[in-house]
Amino acid sequence: MKVKQIMVKMPLVHPFTTSFGTQRDKYAILIKISDEEGNIGWGETPLERQPGYCYETTETAWYIQKEFLIPELLKLDTLTGYEQLSEPYSKIRGHEFAKSGIEAAINTYVANKTGKSLGDLYGSVRSKVPTGVSIGIQPDIDKLLTRISTFLDQGYHRIKIKIQPGWDLEVLKRIRTEFGDIKLMVDANSAYSLNDVELFKAMDRYELMMIEQPLHYQDVLQHKKLQREIDTPVCLDESIHTVTEAIEAIEQECAQIINIKPGRVGGYMNAVEIARKLGKNKVWCGGMLESGINRVHNLFLQAREEFSIPGDTSGSNRYFEQDIIAPAVKVDDKGYITLLHGKGLGVEVLEDKIEDYSIRQQLYML
Ligand code: OSB
Ligand code: MG
């Protein structure tokens, strides 16, 4: 068995600004597993260069995979599933995104080898999924309104805008005036505190689907205090890293909804478990500006029945001039993405395009 780590840098067609910074390129680690019989599997660890969204970065994940995760994988004689690694990986604390890239590659490898679609592994039941778009902070409100209008014209089912102090109530007022009762939500990426309760109360009038991660990235309990004060559902993103944390946050009424990012919760099987345990209307699938590889994984996850809320998985062209899969992910004019239930990923991985984006590669074998 061979394992390849590939660091890619993919230029974004539009800069993506959140309360923690601006990204102009998508960095990710691609993982390719291959064996002597020619079976292969692709996965991705989508992260950033800076520890802005979370403490993991592309470099910490590269290191954790190289030093700890890949050596354990190479010890296996035959690879049959990620559960073979749960014991050794449980001794490596945190680093969920690093683990999830390996997991995604193993899932694709196992699907390919057994002639199944990834959808069979993830329990997909739908052939197409409704989708939304996450729009970063723009230089001014008019630019934001233009962008929203473009995405609505393209069919997207719901609009998520990033907010931060000074870019919140006034922006929402303008959006409601311009676009009426579109499906709308906000993501604060932890830019506020409990001192801002009045501001969130004032947000209730805009009938948002939810407010994502308003408070500190490590906090859960203060979100409960906020949720008690407002009608709009609170959704947690940054604060949730495990299946248990997701279940507890909902049970303890700290939030009403969890944004499941498979990478943030240690992989797709954990994501499936959270969805199974919480059920419909409590979960949806977020994104990390993934390349086509994990974009397809995310789509198969969302084809499960629990994912009734449109996710952040937009079409490839919303992020990249040229994606690394063919066909690229496409949103139809009704805002749906149709899944391709072939073997494994169900799409072709364009290795020549990956070479164009590659900035570093390392091959491992015993
Ligand atoms: O908070 O959901 C987030 C992108 C990078 C880091 C954090 C977040 C996001 C997004 C974009 O909102 C989701 C996507 O389009 O993939
Ligand atoms: Mg978020």
Side-chain angles (χ1 to χ4, degrees):
M1 187 165 47
K2 288 186 211 163
V3 180
K4 200 189 220 180
Q5 251 183 327
I6 308 165
M7 184 79 79
V8 290
K9 176 186 177 188
M10 301 172 70
L12 291 170
V13 292
H14 205 275
F16 190 74
T17 300
T18 59
S19 53
F20 55 78
T22 297
Q23 288 178 261
R24 291 193 163 71
D25 301 284
K26 176 64 211 159
Y27 285 82
I29 304 170
L30 305 180
I31 301 288
K32 181 187 184 184
I33 297 176
S34 52
D35 68 14
E36 296 70 25
E37 282 115 61
N39 300 300
I40 58 164
W42 286 96
E44 170 180 357
T45 284
L47 272 169
E48 295 167 10
R49 300 278 307 156
Q50 302 84 10
Y53 167 76
C54 66
Y55 71 86
E56 290 188 83
T57 71
T58 40
E59 293 301 332
T60 69
W62 182 277
Y63 167 76
I64 294 292
Q65 289 174 345
K66 171 179 194 277
E67 293 290 328
F68 306 105
L69 302 176
I70 294 172
E72 292 295 340
L73 172 56
L74 289 173
K75 279 186 201 162
L76 302 174
D77 283 333
T78 44
L79 178 55
T80 55
Y82 186 64
E83 43 318 325
Q84 291 171 287
L85 293 167
S86 53
E87 171 66 20
Y89 281 14
S90 70
K91 300 195 170 70
I92 300 153
R93 293 191 179 173
H95 299 281
E96 289 83 10
F97 275 98
K99 290 172 184 166
S100 76
I102 307 278
E103 191 229 22
I106 293 176
N107 296 343
T108 317
Y109 171 89
V110 171
N112 275 326
K113 198 170 163 180
T114 54
K116 291 182 185 160
S117 159
L118 264 181
D120 299 327
L121 269 69
Y122 296 164
S124 306
V125 293
R126 289 182 289 170
S127 58
K128 56 181 191 173
V129 300
T131 199
V133 61
S134 170
I135 307 178
I137 292 160
Q138 303 297 315
D140 58 63
I141 300 184
D142 287 331
K143 289 210 176 62
L144 175 66
L145 297 179
T146 307
R147 254 179 107 54
I148 293 175
S149 145
T150 309
F151 288 123
L152 290 174
D153 288 348
Q154 290 175 18
Y156 283 97
H157 282 244
R158 71 101 173 95
I159 300 291
K160 161 170 141 182
I161 62 155
K162 297 288 185 177
I163 55 167
Q164 66 183 9
W167 182 264
D168 39 44
L169 292 174
E170 180 59 25
V171 176
L172 289 172
K173 187 173 165 193
R174 292 280 307 277
I175 296 174
R176 281 299 185 214
T177 307
E178 186 87 12
F179 301 106
D181 64 351
I182 57 166
K183 281 189 182 163
L184 181 65
M185 56 182 279
V186 296
D187 184 357
N189 288 110
S190 299
Y192 298 86
S193 75
L194 277 184
N195 296 332
D196 301 305
V197 168
E198 291 307 316
L199 179 129
F200 288 110
K201 279 187 183 166
M203 247 180 229
D204 275 342
R205 87 172 73 112
Y206 296 110
E207 305 205 12
L208 303 172
M209 296 169 76
M210 67 191 85
I211 299 173
E212 186 177 335
Q213 196 70 37
L215 309 180
H216 197 273
Y217 65 94
Q218 288 171 315
D219 170 77
V220 178
L221 291 176
Q222 290 199 334
H223 283 90
K224 181 181 171 105
K225 290 188 183 159
L226 175 63
Q227 183 67 90
R228 265 199 239 125
E229 300 288 326
I230 62 174
D231 297 331
T232 310
V234 169
C235 166
L236 288 176
D237 174 357
E238 278 92 326
S239 302
I240 303 297
H241 307 95
T242 65
V243 176
T244 311
E245 282 176 2
I247 310 303
E248 294 274 308
I250 296 293
E251 274 182 12
Q252 304 296 322
E253 299 178 349
C254 303
Q256 298 184 38
I257 302 167
I258 303 292
N259 168 344
I260 301 184
K261 287 187 190 172
R264 202 196 63 233
V265 297
Y268 287 85
M269 292 312 172
N270 287 346
V272 166
E273 196 179 336
I274 293 171
R276 243 190 332 102
K277 290 191 167 149
L278 290 180
K280 248 185 169 164
N281 299 324
K282 300 256 185 333
V283 297
W284 58 280
C285 181
M288 288 293 290
L289 315 175
E290 284 87 348
S291 84
I293 290 179
N294 270 29
R295 190 162 298 282
V296 169
H297 282 263
N298 287 354
L299 287 167
F300 281 119
L301 173 68
Q302 287 167 87
R304 288 181 61 88
E305 60 188 350
E306 300 91 352
F307 291 81
S308 48
I309 304 170
D312 277 347
T313 310
S314 309
S316 298
N317 65 352
R318 178 254 179 281
Y319 309 90
F320 315 111
E321 203 80 61
Q322 167 71 59
D323 206 340
I324 55 174
I325 57 164
V329 173
K330 216 175 155 345
V331 176
D332 67 25
D333 55 9
K334 300 270 187 305
Y336 285 89
I337 299 174
T338 299
L339 283 84
L340 300 168
H341 286 272
K343 210 173 69 157
L345 280 177
V347 296
E348 189 192 345
V349 174
L350 302 174
E351 297 204 49
D352 54 333
K353 296 291 181 282
I354 292 178
E355 288 304 319
D356 292 344
Y357 293 128
S358 165
I359 52 177
R360 189 193 319 154
Q361 304 193 9
Q362 182 78 49
L363 185 64
Y364 307 85
M365 56 190 134
L366 269 195

